[in-house]
Amino acid sequence: NIESNDSCLCAVLCSKSGSVRMEDICFARGFSPAFRPAMQRILRLLFHLLVHIYSSHFRATVSLDLHPHLNTVYLHLLLFCAEFQLLEVAELAVSEELTTALLQTDRRPGSTS
C-alpha cells in the first residue's frame, strides 16, 4: 500500500522536525560548530530509515528490482559514516548481519549489487 508507506516515511521524517536548524548546516559563512552534530543527526536518521526499509519493505524493493540500489545507498552511507566517525559503533550493531552479508556479496567475483 503506497499511501501507508508514504505516511510511514513522513512519520519518520517529521518525528525529527525542529531538531536540525538551517543555521547549523548552512555554511555560506563557514561551518558552524553545530554542523557536525547536525550532520550526525541527519545521517543517523537516514541510517535508521534504511534499516527500516530493509526490515519492513525489502520484498517490495526486490519486486521492483530496486534492491541493488538500496544496497549501494546503504553501503555508501556506512562507508562515509565510518570514514568520518559519524555514527556510534553501538548504533551500527542493529544491522551487523545485514552489513556483513552485503560486504561478503560485494566481494564475490561478478557481483552486481
Side-chain angles (χ1 to χ4, degrees):
N1 183 325
I2 298 293
E3 289 179 22
S4 66
N5 290 344
D6 287 346
S7 63
C8 179
L9 176 62
C10 183
V12 170
L13 294 175
C14 292
S15 71
K16 295 292 182 179
S17 65
S19 67
V20 176
R21 301 174 317 157
M22 279 308 288
E23 301 85 44
D24 295 341
I25 59 174
C26 182
F27 47 85
R29 291 170 266 136
F31 288 107
S32 158
F35 179 76
R36 184 180 178 87
M39 289 298 102
Q40 286 176 301
R41 283 191 298 273
I42 291 168
L43 293 169
R44 181 176 180 263
L45 178 60
L46 180 56
F47 172 75
H48 283 280
L49 180 62
L50 289 171
V51 169
H52 168 77
I53 291 170
Y54 272 107
S55 65
S56 300
H57 308 288
F58 190 70
R59 287 184 184 170
T61 64
V62 170
S63 70
L64 295 169
D65 201 27
L66 295 173
H67 59 289
H69 304 290
L70 181 63
N71 295 346
T72 299
V73 169
Y74 178 81
L75 288 174
H76 279 101
L77 177 69
L78 284 183
L79 292 171
F80 181 80
C81 290
E83 176 74 20
F84 297 101
Q85 300 173 343
L86 297 170
L87 292 174
E88 299 291 327
V89 174
E91 187 99 41
L92 300 173
V94 172
S95 64
E96 187 175 347
E97 288 180 32
L98 170 64
T99 303
T100 302
L102 288 176
L103 289 173
Q104 288 174 350
T105 300
D106 197 44
R107 290 187 179 140
R108 282 191 221 142
S111 174
T112 59
S113 58

